[in-house]
Amino acid sequence: MTQTITLWSHDSGPNPWKVAIVLEELALPYETKFVDLHKEVKAKPYTDKNPNGRVPAIEDPNTGITLWESGAIIEYLIDRYDTSNSLTYTSFPEKYYCKQYLHFQSSGQGPYFGQAAWFNKYHPENVQSAKDRYGAEVKRVTMVLDTILNGKEYLVGDKCTYADLSFVTWYQLAPYITGDTKIDFKGDYPHYYAWMERLTARPAVKKVLEDKQKATSG
Amino acid sequence: MSSTEKTPNINLYTTQTPNGIKISITLEELGIPYKPHKIDISQNTQKEPFFLAINPNGRIPALTDTFSDGQTIRLFESGSIMQYLVEQYDSVHHKISYPAGSRESYEVNNWLFFLNAGVGPMQGQANHFFRYAPEKIEYGISRYQNETRRLYRVLDQHLSTSSSGYLVGEKCTIADIAHWGWVAAAGWAGIEIDEFPHLKAWEDRMLARPGVERGRHVPSPHRMKEMSKAEMEKHAQESAQWIQREQAKDAKKE
């Protein structure tokens, strides 16, 4: 019997929900605990779990491990619990291609979409050149994915893997965070768009996006 | 994992940047042969079809190897390349990694993603606003310099509690190697490393390793540690002109 894993999360930030999608897909028991980003996340006891003072982090009583960084957590969950390889490959070279796209997501999509969000939504002044810079990077990343997905249903092999799923939560925010940079995702990036529709139609993804919606509005 | 390691046939496509030297240092630390190919970013070699076939994202580093099935494997993203190299070529002696599935192996991943998703992108943005941006935007400079300082403080604090002087366990791993080129380039982003004594001591400890010394000069000499502030500024002006020209070209394509 697998014991309940704790996921330290936040209602609207995309990265904890990226981990929740993998937990749901693997049908693992987990409990979400929300951390207050103003009061709790940069102070003990939370920084004992994640010295970087960010969400997500997980605690897994089945192994006694505490981990942070959403990409590292996903690799752990897959290694440990995806025993039937439903979301991954053990074959070569697919195993490494999955890692490649996860790293592309964590270092190429997340940080730049995050900066677009900052300059479009949170920064008190209008810094047009910064909005343009990060809006252009959102387009470039999407163009790279669109090119890779031309003629393919998923990034690696012929099935959905954790690499595909890792892109979902930032893209859910894309129309909101790109503000003035109007991007026609459906018209300009059709392969990307069809892929995202395919991913968000999955029951586990749907459930997590609904949970996130409830958490944000609640 | 198998107990035998295959024979490498590695081509490394790289240039003299923090992300490029991560891979050459990893290869040197493992002591495996490889053929470096210098990608000339100023000539846009990374946008040529042969390179995009290896990395559709048009960024260095990228690497090819002959896989155990006899076919070529093409890899990009420095973090995934490092994971590949230690799984394929460090599964017996664990020189710079820990056994797959061990607690330490997952903790190495914490710091590897921390660098790739945190330090690298944020310090890279500090470089942009401090060195390359066409207009001087004080807010952009301070936002990314401050975030880089915050991340350095996390590293400094963590290293102050490490008995080995490395990020995870008792030895230098790919987590340390991933960080080194970025921390060594702190001055380029306008960050004073002296503010972070434990991190500075770690930087020197790393530099004393023969593998780091050999790997940092691939494919051309690593000069970050010897450049004066004036030299950095001159070099930055040249780079800024080129970057602004390329950005203007890219903008026209949209």
Side-chain angles (χ1 to χ4, degrees), chain A residues 14-34:
Chain A
N15 290 325
W17 301 95
K18 171 179 151 188
V19 172
I21 287 176
V22 173
L23 288 162
E24 285 289 344
E25 286 276 357
L26 296 175
L28 289 167
Y30 70 100
E31 179 192 12
T32 304
K33 288 191 180 167
F34 293 111

Side-chain angles (χ1 to χ4, degrees), chain B residues 54 75 102 129 164 179 186 198 229 233 252 254:
Chain B
I54 304 170
L75 292 166
S102 63
F129 284 100
S164 67
H179 281 81
H198 302 287
K229 282 195 176 165
E233 269 159 33
K252 278 186 202 139
E254 316 234 6

Side-chain angles (χ1 to χ4, degrees), chain A residues 154 160 164-165 168 194-202 205:
Chain A
Y154 298 104
C160 173
D164 299 285
L165 295 167
V168 169
W195 168 71
M196 195 48 65
E197 296 271 284
R198 216 170 282 133
L199 295 175
T200 51
R202 297 172 68 85
V205 176

Side-chain angles (χ1 to χ4, degrees), chain A residues 53-68:
Chain A
R54 291 284 190 271
V55 287
I58 62 159
E59 284 178 286
D60 182 355
N62 300 289
T63 57
I65 202 167
T66 301
L67 278 175
W68 46 282

Side-chain angles (χ1 to χ4, degrees), chain B residues 11-17 20 35-55 58-64 218-220 242:
Chain B
N11 285 286
L12 169 63
Y13 300 88
T14 190
T15 196
Q16 182 48 257
T17 71
K35 209 159 138 194
H37 301 267
K38 184 175 175 173
I39 297 296
D40 190 346
I41 297 183
S42 71
Q43 297 301 315
N44 268 341
T45 313
Q46 77 282 8
K47 300 285 166 71
E48 287 180 14
F50 89 93
F51 188 81
L52 291 174
I54 304 170
N55 181 2
R59 294 282 191 272
I60 66 96
L63 179 146
T64 63
V218 176
S220 52
W242 171 77

Side-chain angles (χ1 to χ4, degrees), chain A residues 43-61:
Chain A
K44 278 179 182 277
Y46 184 75
T47 50
D48 293 334
K49 303 180 208 311
N50 179 356
N52 192 29
R54 291 284 190 271
V55 287
I58 62 159
E59 284 178 286
D60 182 355

Side-chain angles (χ1 to χ4, degrees), chain B residues 18-29:
Chain B
N19 289 330
I21 62 175
K22 279 174 195 174
I23 308 302
S24 44
I25 292 174
T26 302
L27 289 161
E28 295 289 347
E29 285 277 349

